[in-house]
Amino acid sequence: MREKIIIVDDDTETRKLMVQSLLEHGYEAVGYAHSGQALVGFIHSYDPDLIILELSMPGADALNLCTELRKFSDKPVLFTSHHTDDYLRIEALNRGADEFIAKPSCFEVLLARIRAHLRRYKRAFPVNQRHLILYPGLQIDPTTHSVIAYGKEVSLSSKEFRLLVVLAKNPNRVFPTETLYDLIWNDMKHGDIRTVMVHIYNLRQKIEKTPREPLYIHTVRGAGYKFNGSVSLMTESLDA
């Protein structure tokens, strides 16, 4: 099966040339001129192996798109741009990009970087584990909507599961309660955001060994909630 690559670039000539060149090198490649929610939805369903974003698109669309992608995808994201502004490069990496490639750059260099990131991703995520979110004592499978905590499968509601995935895919990122509500209950704009607190409580009861002293989901007083990204270092007594 050919690896799938999406190129998002508003320069028609550049976009078409990159798509054609990648096709000639054995990849399945598609190009888009603009980012936006329609593209986010397509990427979610198409599930590409790698995404290339042109940073110079108007309205910081590429940066915003990268932020959205990192809510559901851990696939490699490469930024390309003529910009030499260090702030933009740093911001791209902070938003979740894996690499920033300055233009002009010959296609052979870009191709080499693509191959390197695809190899790295395959090593980090074997085929049989590629969709799993793994932490010590916790396994989350977004493809089957299943969760195993401390060796036992737990039953979560659809909202609880989506909430857990958003937090676990963004370790150490603090999510305000309002943001979590908008992400998970986006079809209920005028509901009660206190439902987030109820679902966090229920999640802790189901996945935490000691819910009153949670290992995974932490409350950041006055700010919101975050998933403990240091849990991978805290393996002692997890199997006790």
Side-chain angles (χ1 to χ4, degrees):
M1 183 180 296
R2 295 192 299 173
E3 291 164 309
K4 299 182 290 186
I5 298 175
I6 289 182
I7 299 99
V8 184
D9 194 318
D10 59 356
D11 185 297
T12 302
E13 183 176 348
T14 299
R15 186 176 67 253
K16 289 183 176 179
L17 180 61
M18 289 178 64
V19 168
Q20 184 59 39
S21 297
L22 288 169
L23 291 172
E24 292 173 357
H25 282 80
Y27 296 99
E28 179 179 324
V30 293
Y32 279 83
H34 301 286
S35 62
Q37 286 304 310
L39 178 55
V40 171
F42 175 76
I43 292 175
H44 197 292
S45 59
Y46 186 64
D47 192 23
D49 296 287
L50 185 141
I51 303 149
I52 300 173
L53 302 178
E54 163 55 49
L55 181 59
S56 305
M57 290 188 299
D61 281 351
L63 292 173
N64 293 333
L65 175 59
C66 190
T67 299
E68 290 298 311
L69 292 179
R70 284 304 180 228
K71 293 175 183 177
F72 63 84
S73 176
D74 53 14
K75 299 298 179 60
V77 175
L78 311 185
F79 270 92
T80 62
S81 180
H82 290 284
H83 275 298
T84 58
D85 189 330
D86 285 340
Y87 167 78
L88 288 175
R89 298 186 182 195
I90 294 170
E91 184 64 16
L93 295 171
N94 285 339
R95 295 287 187 105
D98 294 278
E99 186 171 355
F100 186 100
I101 302 173
K103 291 182 177 179
S105 177
C106 68
F107 178 75
E108 285 72 18
V109 171
L110 178 62
L111 183 62
R113 301 312 303 150
I114 289 172
R115 288 170 173 166
H117 281 283
L118 289 174
R119 285 196 305 269
R120 188 175 299 119
Y121 184 83
K122 288 178 182 177
R123 287 197 300 268
F125 300 94
V127 173
N128 63 339
Q129 295 183 356
R130 196 156 295 169
H131 297 291
L132 298 181
I133 305 171
L134 300 173
Y135 289 92
L138 183 66
Q139 175 180 302
I140 307 165
D141 189 344
T143 62
T144 61
H145 280 224
S146 62
V147 176
I148 297 175
Y150 299 105
K152 296 181 180 180
E153 187 165 0
V154 297
S155 177
L156 302 182
S157 70
S158 61
K159 292 290 194 294
E160 289 169 351
F161 184 82
R162 289 173 61 190
L163 184 59
L164 177 61
V165 169
V166 167
L167 291 170
K169 278 195 169 185
N170 297 273
N172 294 327
R173 174 181 172 183
V174 178
F175 285 89
T177 304
E178 294 83 357
T179 299
L180 288 172
Y181 184 83
D182 288 341
L183 287 171
I184 309 302
W185 288 267
N186 53 13
D187 56 339
M188 301 171 61
K189 293 297 185 182
H190 302 292
D192 190 340
I193 65 171
R194 287 177 295 182
T195 191
V196 174
M197 291 176 271
V198 174
H199 279 70
I200 291 289
Y201 174 84
N202 291 337
L203 270 178
R204 286 172 172 161
Q205 296 301 311
K206 294 178 179 182
I207 70 170
E208 299 282 4
K209 183 172 287 189
T210 308
R212 290 185 177 182
E213 299 177 358
L215 174 64
Y216 302 114
I217 302 175
H218 288 190
T219 299
V220 181
R221 191 172 300 277
Y225 300 95
K226 72 173 183 178
F227 196 93
N228 179 17
S230 299
V231 69
S232 59
L233 304 177
M234 303 168 62
T235 56
E236 293 182 4
S237 78
L238 282 176
D239 300 318

